[in-house]
Amino acid sequence: MLRGLAATAYRHINEVLMLNKSVLPKAFQPSILEEALQHAPTKRGEFNVYEVFKVENPWTKYMEIPSADLALWEKVDKTLVLSYRKAMRYEQFGLLYDDLLNDEDPVIIEALNRVPEEVLRAREKRLARAFDLSVNQKRLPKEEWTKPEDDVAYLRPYVVWVRCEMEEYDAQTMLRDDYVPFFKVTSDDYETGKAFTQRYVD
């Protein structure tokens, strides 16, 4: 995806330079772009998803800034945000916010297929423990509740990545065929994520 975008940009800039070489600064000369293309990812997985698709929970910034440095409206916002998080009560079961995402949604299924194996296993263990606690009408001891600073977005960056690929695929199809593709999602897709094999953008 990134390599294709860089190649397209190179072709357009090269056409401009052929007409007037003084249009762009030296930083955008073809030689610079060719060097950048050599370091561009050639396939999925050659970049840090958490850096490219940054997603933060609304309470994360307040965990990093001392309360004394917050403005009045920020203190009010912090109180509302933390109250909202506490009202959901998932912290009492040791869950993270991203554990609540619907794993029967095809987009979430594909995102879960892409997260590292250890992250997926940790998620499954948290959900299994929370289910057992809920069935037995129990809660974790308060010292074991999920702290706001530990409640990070580990899955939503992958969700954004999947949606970006879907939008790119649909945009390319619109340019080529002038219609948006529709496909039927069957029960098998909820197990294997096959519905997304045709949407991969390498």
Side-chain angles (χ1 to χ4, degrees), residues 15-16 24-25 35-36 39 43-44 60 68 73 100 106 116 119 128 131 140 151 153 156 158 168 173 181 197:
E15 291 176 0
V16 173
L24 298 175
E35 182 179 351
H39 302 286
K43 60 182 180 180
R44 186 187 301 115
T60 301
W73 69 269
L100 307 181
V119 175
F131 179 78
L140 289 174
D151 192 359
R156 275 172 290 164
Y158 285 89
E168 181 181 8
T173 305
T197 57

Side-chain angles (χ1 to χ4, degrees), residues 60-106:
T60 301
K61 62 179 180 180
Y62 294 124
M63 298 299 102
E64 302 171 352
I65 304 175
S67 297
D69 296 338
L70 297 176
L72 178 60
W73 69 269
E74 289 176 321
K75 293 180 180 179
V76 174
D77 183 57
K78 178 180 179 180
T79 302
L80 294 175
V81 165
L82 294 179
S83 298
Y84 168 75
R85 179 181 180 275
K86 187 176 181 180
M88 288 189 285
R89 297 188 297 179
Y90 65 85
E91 60 177 6
Q92 301 177 14
F93 297 92
L95 295 173
L96 303 180
Y97 183 80
D98 281 11
D99 293 337
L100 307 181
L101 297 179
N102 181 16
D103 55 8
E104 293 186 355
D105 186 312

